[in-house]
């Protein structure tokens, strides 16, 4: 089930398990360990973190569970992110919500992540947001250092537009493998602003955050009845759930979208994983597109 | 009067005769043959088709007329398009209006076009619309095959933005020669969104569809009195009609715009062809620009 | 204090003195000479002109003052611009406000500028505005000629977007060094439309015109109280004026923004020059950004 994220490297699972709400799940370390094991057993081996998730606590919670069974480490591909500073009782030194993409911040953030996750390297580090104050040379210096010392294997970005991507890539020897952006049948913006064309051109994997539009997919009937009807018709044809169809719809795109799911329910995880076997016809794909746009294709 | 559409090839006429309304003209095969002959005699040798024009009938009507005098074939450069599926009584197998840019669809569409037009090759094939589901590798595979077997000489696109163009070009050995987009004194969008700069940079010919804004040029006084006044002043200075000035205005652009006209009246065709000899001054060009924008240049 | 505008050349002062309002200052030639000398003494050696400033009079006024002390010439780096035609009693041959970027116009405009400024070369010529009728080959021909004959040392543009920049650069052997655009804490547009990313990627210096938003910076309390408050807090922390903070904020950007100031008051000039020693913290930079945007960073 390994999925190639880029011609030059990084094999992960096509669907990644996101842990941004882990602190809300209320799991004991043992329960989380069990959840991780079941996810791996189902084939979801790529996990998506960020330093700031859960008020800077999610990485630690994950690390504590992982420490209960260190042999799991090699079965996982760990993604984490850096570059945002968030005021928090856990980080009293942070005065305001802003970006920090200095060499010092990136190196320190990765060291924190390694310590919290209790691992000696991470597979993929993403810059969390493009900063209006982005200095591509500084970021490249930090990335190259992290690569050289072996703390990070691969690099990517999140929420970057093509111009921002090109700027950072121009300073790096290594390819940026991933651009994690918001994509769902309810959020078509990046299908139309050049992001997916740019990703396809450069063989960069778009990862989809919020593939269920922050949960709107589950209350769609009231939000967008037209899209609800279209998704429902397709879901009935495949004997699948709406969220499975949303994932299958994303994965049908030729840019090779890799969705990040975020549920702590193992049933939902298994259901998502099964979505990989659903093959939408082009008629079905466009029925969803047209319903979301609200008008036929030109 | 041959016009070079790209440094690496394709000579056609600067103005192309479009046949998207051919089915509405009510011509007999003999009348259409006469129209084609007169157009060629006037110097308009490039004809613009699409598989879907006239509910999939225009290519056939043209092919029937052409079959009456096969020697005309070599005097024409035939453009046609593919990539859209349109529900039609003539295509009962098509369930919904969507794009199809699979290898199979492109190859089948070209075979249909060759059969309908009763020719063994076409000079220029355009992808009709960018699809949100565009797979550049599939399109490139189809284009390369069509080129190798000699069914299509040259390739281009229609309604593509620069990012979409770059994506497809990145997968092709051959240059895309043309991007056919809507351009007219009433439709300035692509003058300002990077399309024409991109075309000029890469020596791609922008073809202008709807150079008379779907006929609005002929009822301009009620639609846009300011633009009507500006065009009228220029037309009087050149002793020309408004539509001639619209064409001359497009052809004055340094990107080398090639307009596609669509009238079945040979008088209109001759009038359009004569527009090539009208040379607008820069003052005249900007007077039309400023009138259409509704404010002076910054 | 020399500032490198581009890796391949052009050293100027980081802050340029703009002369677009020179005709309104009411200075005698001797007073202007004194102003120029004091500016040079303060380290502001780069001067920013355009053919059209002051109804085509500013270059001449400057040239008359410079002629009083020719030895100053070599201490200055002169920027001027061309490409706009403005109706004026001083140019009765101009019928309408439009762009002219023909070879003939560019060469003539530079000859006029040299004659008005009473110098035999200028250091940096900018195309003043992108024209919808821009012919990159013509502009390149003019630029290459001016470079060869020694009338202009370096070239750049003003108000260009990345697509327009790439088009013109594609036709030039020499790099375009500068893109002069509107940038200020009140005008964030080019921080978000790719202009600064493109400049940073290609090591092009963005020069900032209207760094005080046409004077709005000095009546900010009524215009944008939130931004006024943020700038005031930062200015108090540095014991500096609001306009100094605006300049320091621009110069903190990693693209290397070079501001163009426009005051005829030597006190203002000295104050601006001192802004170079103010180093904003990232917290301060983002406090101003967030106040101007009106919402936190995402």
């Amino acid at each position: 089930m390994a999925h190639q994220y880029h011609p030059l490297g990084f094999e992960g699972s096509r669907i990644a398990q996101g842990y941004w709400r882990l602190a809300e799940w209320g799991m004991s370390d043992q329960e989380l360990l069990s959840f991780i094991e079941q996810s791996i057993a189902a084939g979801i081996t790529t996990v998506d973190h960020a330093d700031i998730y859960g008020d800077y606590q999610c990485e630690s919670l994950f690390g504590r569970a992982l420490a209960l069974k260190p042999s799991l480490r090699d079965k996982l591909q760990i993604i984490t992110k850096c570059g945002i500073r968030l005021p928090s009782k856990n980080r009293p030194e942070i005065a305001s919500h802003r970006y920090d993409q200095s060499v010092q911040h990136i190196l320190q953030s990765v060291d924190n992540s390694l310590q919290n996750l209790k691992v000696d390297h991470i597979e993929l580090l993403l810059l969390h947001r493009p900063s209006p104050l982005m200095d591509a040379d500084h970021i490249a210096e930090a990335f190259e250092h992290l690569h050289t010392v072996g703390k990070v294997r691969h690099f990517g970005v999140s929420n970057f537009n093509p111009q921002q991507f090109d700027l950072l890539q121009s300073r790096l020897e290594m390819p940026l493998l991933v651009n994690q952006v918001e994509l769902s049948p309810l959020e078509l913006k990046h299908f139309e602003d050049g992001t997916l064309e740019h990703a396809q051109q450069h063989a960069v994997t778009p990862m989809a955050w919020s593939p269920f539009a922050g949960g709107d997919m589950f209350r769609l009937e009231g939000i967008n009845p037209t899209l609800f009807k279209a998704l429902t018709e397709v879901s009935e044809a495949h004997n699948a759930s709406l969220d499975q169809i949303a994932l299958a719809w994303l994965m049908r795109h030729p840019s090779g979208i890799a969705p990040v799911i975020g549920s702590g329910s193992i049933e939902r995880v298994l259901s998502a994983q099964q979505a990989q076997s659903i093959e939408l016809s082009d008629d079905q794909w466009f029925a969803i597109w047209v319903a979301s746009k609200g008008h036929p294709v030109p």
Side-chain angles (χ1 to χ4, degrees), chain A:
Chain A
M1 288 221 199
H3 179 74
Q4 187 84 13
Y5 275 60
H6 189 275
L8 296 183
F10 188 49
E11 286 199 347
S13 56
R14 178 67 181 269
I15 292 175
Q17 175 65 39
Y19 282 97
W20 73 93
R21 286 196 295 243
L22 171 56
E24 305 164 26
W25 294 349
M27 289 182 182
S28 69
D29 293 352
Q30 192 60 52
E31 286 168 336
L32 177 55
L33 176 63
S34 168
F35 178 81
I36 296 170
E37 287 188 292
Q38 291 175 79
S39 297
I40 291 173
I44 298 195
T45 57
T46 298
V47 297
D48 185 75
H49 285 274
D51 58 338
I52 59 171
Y53 285 164
D55 208 11
Y56 291 96
Q57 296 304 298
C58 289
E59 287 181 332
S60 292
L61 293 171
F62 190 87
R64 272 166 33 195
L66 193 57
L68 296 178
K69 194 168 177 183
S71 65
L72 287 185
R73 170 63 187 97
D74 290 344
K75 299 181 178 170
L76 295 171
Q77 303 84 41
I78 300 177
I79 302 175
T80 196
K81 313 187 191 75
C82 65
I84 301 179
R85 289 163 62 100
L86 219 51
S88 160
K89 63 179 191 304
N90 301 312
R91 296 288 165 103
E93 75 280 12
I94 296 180
S96 65
H97 178 195
R98 63 169 170 90
Y99 303 133
D100 190 344
Q101 300 172 357
S102 62
V103 176
Q104 184 186 9
H105 177 84
I106 294 172
L107 298 186
Q108 184 63 57
S109 182
V110 168
D111 281 344
N112 291 346
S113 291
L114 293 176
Q115 188 171 8
N116 291 334
L117 292 161
K118 301 188 199 304
V119 297
D120 63 1
H121 72 278
I122 60 169
E123 273 73 17
L124 179 58
L125 177 71
L126 307 184
L127 206 61
H128 206 149
R129 291 255 172 207
S131 170
L133 210 52
M134 169 165 63
D135 187 319
D137 293 302
H138 293 177
I139 299 166
E141 181 186 335
F143 281 11
E144 300 283 1
H145 175 78
L146 289 165
H147 187 252
T148 301
V149 300
K151 290 179 179 173
V152 178
R153 297 276 193 269
H154 301 285
F155 299 86
V157 294
S158 187
N159 304 300
F160 269 44
N161 66 30
Q163 205 89 54
Q164 293 156 343
F165 193 102
D166 287 347
L167 165 57
L168 182 54
Q169 184 64 75
S170 76
R171 299 305 201 271
L172 283 169
E173 298 279 337
M174 306 170 284
L176 296 166
L177 307 189
V178 155
N179 187 12
Q180 188 175 123
V181 295
E182 187 177 7
L183 296 167
S184 78
L186 275 156
E187 179 51 85
L188 304 183
K189 183 183 155 196
H190 297 304
F191 287 82
E192 306 192 284
D193 68 0
T195 301
L196 292 188
E197 280 91 351
H198 183 272
Q200 188 179 158
Q201 181 173 343
H202 298 285
V204 168
T205 289
M207 296 186 76
W209 60 263
S210 266
F212 308 134
D216 282 355
M217 187 63 58
F218 305 105
R219 14 178 211 274
L220 192 55
E221 191 164 10
I223 292 171
N224 186 334
T226 306
L227 181 56
F228 175 76
K229 184 166 173 292
L231 278 164
T232 300
E233 284 177 15
V234 176
S235 72
E236 288 170 355
H238 286 278
N239 196 22
S241 64
L242 253 59
D243 46 315
Q244 287 181 313
I245 297 302
L247 295 175
W249 186 84
L250 289 171
M251 290 189 285
R252 172 70 185 79
H253 194 270
S255 62
I257 294 169
V260 183
I261 59 172
S263 172
S265 147
I266 194 63
E267 291 72 27
R268 280 274 170 77
V269 173
L270 297 174
S271 157
Q273 183 67 348
Q274 287 157 7
Q276 288 191 65
S277 60
I278 300 171
E279 290 193 25
L280 299 191
S281 71
D282 282 16
D283 276 331
Q284 291 170 332
W285 196 92
F286 275 98
I288 293 167
W289 173 270
V290 165
S292 181
K293 292 289 291 177
H295 57 75
V297 297

